[in-house]
Structure formats: structure tokens, C-alpha cells
Amino acid sequence: MARHQTTIIDLARELGLSKSTVSRALTNHVNVHPDTRRRVLEAAQRTEYQPNLLAQSLIRSETHLLGVVIPDIEKPFFASIVSGIQQVASAAGYRVIITQSNESPTDEIANLQALVLSRVDGLLVCHTRETRTFDHVWLAHRKGIPVVEFARVCEDLPVPKVVENDVAGSRAVVRHLLACGARRVGLLTGPPDLLISRLREEGYRVALAEAGVTVPDEWIFNTQFRRDDIAAALDHWLALPEPPDAVFAIYDAGAVELLRLLKQRGIAVPDRVQVAGFGNDPVAELVEPALTTYAQFPREIGRQAFRFFLDQLVEQTTADRLHVVPGELMVRESTRGFGAVPG
């Protein structure tokens, strides 16, 4: 007698749940109640449920391949996102094809086109910091390929997006600097037309406005994320009649380089100037002094990006949804609040 292969329909019927709820529970979707997820996983284990990839591929013309486009796999932030994607994708029976653009828009376009030609079931895309046109993503979207953008996104694309908490995170960092006695907070930011630059500058300005501080233009220094830019920013600030007594860098690599330059010039941190970053890169704990920063949770960004992809398959919709992954302020020795007892 042929052995019956347990399906999602079988699990849904046994548990009195919808197929979409069972599917989401099997991939740890955040919108599934923990008790429901536990029931589904117990039933799946008991019935030896396994996704029938061949049958699904034939019925839906699916390959169970997922394409991921990222700027730089060597950066811990993006590597952790990929780890999060693979964790839930593997549990759902998908294999992940990872491509990296090396911060080149040309490579980003070529990688995305190659993934489309490989008949991937969906695309998870993080743009380069130089990407300014998005026709390649629009084309994939119009072809009906599920697309999810994460971290660096295009606001105008009507696809689901997963981002870190840029505005609230930047606001938290600057409020901390002010609470530690800073009165002139410089901002080391990125290209002005980059979305994360604008959002993190917004959080910076909100915190200062709440404290009644007017921001002179000379406090803000835009960079292209190059080391030479950071040296130029420091020269610019030190030449001011009243240099900043704190600097918030919107990316940890910039903050770490600033710490190195300040040490080289004999400027004490945090006594003369406080420094804070954004991202909680692994190096933030290793530098001297250790860097106060805003921790992101990149693995959760990756997991949620995959869940949005799966939602599009289950619900047959490409709703323009936004999920903001909350972060956490990490106070260390580069600011004066380190070791303070909360009041």
C-alpha cells in the first residue's frame, strides 16, 4: 500500500486552521500566535510532514530557488541578513542564490537579471548606495516575480520592505549624547540623496529640536563613506570657532575611523569629544574606547524579508507593506554615559 504523504492541507484539516496559517507557522512567521505555531510544529513532527517540492514545482511552475541581491557579503551586517534569510528559507524548502553587487549599480542590475533568467521564485533585494534608477526591479515586479526590498530600499516601488529603525535609532543616539552633556553634536552622514542618510539625519534633527538646539549647516558633513571623507570632516569641525563636543556617525565604520583619527591627534574621547555610531558592527566592542552605537538586528531583517516573500506566494498579493525592525542603544566608553546608573 502506498504511504500517504502528509500535506499542508492535511495539517490544516487536522488542526482546524487555514492553509495560510499552517504555512506561516511552519516558517516562524511573526503574525502567528506562539501556541498556534507550537501546535502546527508538533503535528508536523508527529505526521512526519515534509514539503513536497516536486509537486509544488510542477503545479505552480516553481523552482524553489530564491534570489538575493546584496551590496557586500563581507560586511557583517549583510552577512547576518543572509544568515537570517537562509535559516527560514531552508526550513521552508527553498535554496538561496546569493549575489553581491560590490556597491556597483551595474553589477546589481546584471545580478538581478541573471537571477530572473534562472527562474527564481522570488527576489530579495538590497540596493547599492549608488543606485538611483530602479527599472530593473520594476521590470521583475511587472513580470509577477515576488520582490521584497530590505535595508536599502526604493520608497516608490510598490513592494514589501523591511528596514531598520533609522529615525528612532538616530534620535535615541543623539538624545543620549545630549543627556551626557553634549551641546554641539556634529553629524557624519552619507550621500544626501541616500534614503538612510535622510532618515538618520531626520532622527538627529528631531532629537536636537526637542532639546531646543538649532542645527547650523556646518555641524553636518556629508560623505561618500570613504576614509578620506572622515579626515576632511574632522578638519572641517576642528576649524570651527566652536567645534562639536560630540559626533554622531550614521555608520559604525565612520565612527571607528573617527576614533582612530582623534587618538592620532591627541584628542581625548569622551573627555573632549564624545563619539557614537549606528549599526553595532562587531568591531564596535573591540576598539578603544569601545563605541556607543545603535544595535540593529540584521538576522531578523533577513527572516522578515523571507516571510514577506512567502506571504506573496500564499496570498497571491504584492501589497506594499513596511516592517520596521526595532533596535537597541548600546552605551559604551566612547560616551560619558557609560556605567551610569539609570535614574
Side-chain angles (χ1 to χ4, degrees), residues 148-186:
V148 180
E149 294 201 323
F150 60 89
R152 298 181 192 162
V153 304
C154 172
E155 293 176 285
D156 296 330
L157 280 165
V159 301
K161 303 172 184 70
V162 186
V163 297
E164 57 268 47
N165 208 345
D166 291 304
V167 175
S170 298
R171 176 175 174 265
V173 172
V174 177
R175 289 184 66 187
H176 167 72
L177 290 170
L178 293 170
C180 293
R183 293 297 173 262
R184 300 180 303 278
V185 182

Side-chain angles (χ1 to χ4, degrees), residues 299-337:
R299 282 187 177 81
E300 181 54 30
I301 292 174
R303 288 190 285 261
Q304 183 58 45
F306 179 79
R307 291 169 189 143
F308 270 166
F309 154 71
L310 207 61
D311 284 349
Q312 292 183 69
L313 291 186
V314 172
E315 299 171 5
Q316 294 295 298
T317 178
T318 59
D320 183 3
R321 291 183 287 177
L322 177 68
H323 182 87
V324 179
V325 176
E328 179 183 358
L329 180 66
M330 310 296 290
V331 178
R332 301 192 179 109
E333 291 96 331
S334 68
T335 58
R336 297 191 191 109

Side-chain angles (χ1 to χ4, degrees), residues 246-316:
V247 174
F248 166 46
I250 72 161
Y251 62 116
D252 278 350
V256 168
E257 176 63 8
L258 186 60
L259 288 175
R260 187 187 73 82
L261 292 171
L262 289 165
K263 185 175 183 179
Q264 188 180 76
R265 300 188 187 199
I267 300 173
V269 177
D271 296 337
R272 283 183 58 189
V273 59
Q274 301 183 75
V275 178
F278 195 109
N280 199 32
D281 285 358
V283 72
E285 284 191 284
L286 303 177
V287 293
E288 172 104 15
L291 180 67
T292 289
T293 185
Y294 190 76
Q296 303 166 100
F297 295 97
R299 282 187 177 81
E300 181 54 30
I301 292 174
R303 288 190 285 261
Q304 183 58 45
F306 179 79
R307 291 169 189 143
F308 270 166
F309 154 71
L310 207 61
D311 284 349
Q312 292 183 69
L313 291 186
V314 172
E315 299 171 5
Q316 294 295 298

Side-chain angles (χ1 to χ4, degrees), residues 202-275:
E202 180 184 340
Y204 161 87
R205 288 184 177 276
V206 166
L208 290 171
E210 289 173 341
V213 178
T214 302
V215 180
D217 291 341
E218 58 264 27
W219 285 7
I220 298 176
F221 197 95
N222 290 97
T223 74
Q224 296 297 322
F225 300 115
R226 295 188 296 255
R227 292 182 69 179
D228 289 348
D229 295 337
I230 300 157
L234 183 56
D235 289 339
H236 163 76
W237 285 322
L238 292 178
L240 296 176
E242 291 187 299
D245 53 12
V247 174
F248 166 46
I250 72 161
Y251 62 116
D252 278 350
V256 168
E257 176 63 8
L258 186 60
L259 288 175
R260 187 187 73 82
L261 292 171
L262 289 165
K263 185 175 183 179
Q264 188 180 76
R265 300 188 187 199
I267 300 173
V269 177
D271 296 337
R272 283 183 58 189
V273 59
Q274 301 183 75
V275 178

